[in-house]
Amino acid sequence: MNVRSFQLSDYRPLTTLLEDVLSEECYEQTMEAFARQLSWDSELVLVAVEESEVVGMIIGTIDNNKGYYYRIAVHAEYQRQGIGKALIQALRQRFEQRNVSKILITADEHNEPVLPLYEAMGYASNDFFRSFQKLSIVAG
């Protein structure tokens, strides 16, 4: 498995993955944020590839010098195989290279099921970003 930056050729398989994994409401929100993040900083959109198939992705953003994990998705057949952890670790390295002041996890209703994964990786409840003020990639 390889984790790398998003490439234009990943668009169709990535959107298919998101449609399969996310609820319709979450998919719509994620696609809007995904498009904004690509236009601002595509290096913070990572994909996991297994034998040339996109099996996972993570969208991150930097807002006010803080790094945020926005959305993570792993194909159902590949879950619980370390792909989510690899995506989180790769994005964390990108945040650290950019010297963000803090790394947070966006804890909206769609991310609640994956918060235990972040906790297992050492993040604490005070690392979860629950706010009425939306991130730039969500608010536009």
Side-chain angles (χ1 to χ4, degrees), residues 23 25-26 29 71 106-114 130:
S23 69
E25 179 187 4
C26 183
Q29 290 176 9
R71 187 78 70 226
T106 305
D108 62 16
E109 68 273 16
H110 304 297
N111 278 348
E112 288 293 331
V114 296
R130 292 179 172 96

Side-chain angles (χ1 to χ4, degrees), residues 2 10 23 30 35 46 50 59 64 69 79 100 118 123 126 131:
N2 178 38
D10 298 325
S23 69
T30 301
L46 305 178
E50 181 74 46
I59 300 170
N64 295 320
Y69 298 106
Q79 292 178 3
V100 298
Y118 289 102
Y123 291 96
N126 62 342
S131 176

Side-chain angles (χ1 to χ4, degrees), residues 21-77:
V21 174
L22 305 177
S23 69
E24 187 175 334
E25 179 187 4
C26 183
Y27 173 80
E28 296 298 327
Q29 290 176 9
T30 301
M31 288 306 294
E32 288 178 24
F34 172 59
R36 281 192 200 96
Q37 188 57 43
L38 283 181
S39 70
W40 292 336
D41 189 349
S42 63
E43 291 294 310
L44 298 178
V45 178
L46 305 178
V47 295
V49 179
E50 181 74 46
E51 296 180 20
S52 75
E53 180 185 356
V54 173
V55 296
M57 63 85 65
I58 192 166
I59 300 170
T61 193
I62 296 175
D63 211 339
N64 295 320
N65 200 38
K66 292 184 179 118
Y68 293 88
Y69 298 106
Y70 172 68
R71 187 78 70 226
I72 186 169
V74 176
H75 191 286
E77 293 176 21

Side-chain angles (χ1 to χ4, degrees), residues 104-107 115-116 118-119 123-130:
L104 298 164
I105 298 100
T106 305
L115 296 183
Y118 289 102
E119 289 172 335
Y123 291 96
S125 60
N126 62 342
D127 296 322
F128 299 149
F129 176 70
R130 292 179 172 96

